[in-house]
């Protein structure tokens, strides 16, 4: 079993990889072009050792959809990976928010192709999509890794030790 490796983390986002799977959780932060460039570099690195890779992206309720520049960039760079990368997006929310994000992501799906990107309503459905595409990947392990990352994203920042408490 390969080790989960955190590649990038902020207070509102975490991205990690394990074997041929990339997991990115966005909790209220918009995806920018710089984020997509970081993904491209990671894809290129993973594709050196894996014939195909998958990315699980989780947007929590209220996460803004990518802006126009990020959508255009995603369309361009995902065309390059269409045959080797599968992306499954979980939208964890309902109502107008989910509809707006689904509309923004659907524009990318139309250009790239339905076989490369799926949009799901739960993490479990998104993981199922990933594991259908990559033979030999255990859905329960991917779910466990997602849950570990979610917990890591939500843990409070470490408090510096003072001389009095140290």
């Amino acid at each position: 079993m390969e080790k989960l490796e955190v590649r990038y983390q902020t207070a509102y986002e975490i991205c990690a990889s394990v074997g041929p799977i990339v997991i990115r959780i966005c909790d209220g932060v918009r995806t920018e072009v710089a984020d997509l460039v970081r993904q491209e570099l990671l894809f290129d690195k993973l594709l050196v050792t894996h014939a195909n890779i998958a990315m699980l992206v989780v947007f929590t309720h209220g996460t803004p959809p990518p802006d126009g520049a990020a959508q255009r960039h995603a369309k361009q760079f995902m065309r390059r990976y269409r045959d080797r990368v599968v992306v499954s997006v979980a939208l964890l929310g309902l109502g107008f928010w989910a509809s707006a994000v689904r509309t923004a992501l659907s524009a990318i799906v139309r250009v790239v192709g339905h076989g490369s990107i799926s949009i799901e309503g739960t993490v479990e459905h998104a993981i199922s999509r990933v594991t259908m595409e990559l033979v030999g990947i255990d859905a329960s392990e991917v779910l466990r890794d997602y849950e570990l990352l979610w917990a890591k994203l939500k843990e409070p920042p470490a408090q510096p030790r003072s001389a009095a408490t140290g």
Side-chain angles (χ1 to χ4, degrees):
M1 167 119 179
E2 297 184 62
K3 182 180 177 218
L4 184 66
E5 181 179 350
V6 174
R7 303 294 186 141
Y8 179 78
Q9 183 175 1
T10 68
Y12 303 101
E13 164 184 21
I14 191 165
C15 180
S17 65
V18 57
I21 307 259
V22 176
I23 301 171
R24 180 171 181 241
I25 304 170
C26 298
D27 186 27
V29 65
R30 182 184 309 276
T31 297
E32 303 289 345
V33 171
D35 301 313
L36 297 172
V37 169
R38 199 170 30 255
Q39 293 308 148
E40 286 179 87
L41 295 171
L42 181 54
F43 287 0
D44 289 341
K45 183 175 183 175
L46 294 175
L47 286 168
V48 168
T49 55
H50 301 282
N52 296 294
I53 61 174
M55 181 170 189
L56 169 65
V57 183
V58 179
F59 290 136
T60 61
H61 187 84
T63 298
D67 66 12
Q71 288 182 44
R72 286 188 296 280
H73 189 84
K75 290 175 191 175
Q76 291 172 340
F77 101 78
M78 281 305 297
R79 280 187 194 136
R80 195 173 68 141
Y81 298 107
R82 181 182 353 218
D83 297 333
R84 298 190 65 199
V85 177
V86 173
V87 177
S88 191
V89 180
L91 300 179
L92 304 185
L94 302 170
F96 178 76
W97 170 82
S99 177
V101 175
R102 184 175 295 278
T103 299
L105 295 177
S106 292
I108 297 167
V109 171
R110 279 192 303 279
V111 171
V112 174
H114 292 285
S116 303
I117 302 174
S118 69
I119 304 170
E120 308 295 340
T122 68
V123 171
E124 291 81 6
H125 283 116
I127 289 171
S128 176
R129 170 66 183 197
V130 164
T131 58
M132 282 191 302
E133 296 295 329
L134 292 181
V135 177
I137 301 297
D138 183 341
S140 64
E141 290 179 11
V142 178
L143 181 59
R144 186 201 67 233
D145 290 337
Y146 160 76
E147 289 169 346
L148 287 169
L149 291 173
W150 178 252
K152 184 169 180 54
L153 182 63
K154 288 302 172 184
E155 67 188 31
Q159 297 295 321
R161 296 176 116 187
S162 67
T165 62

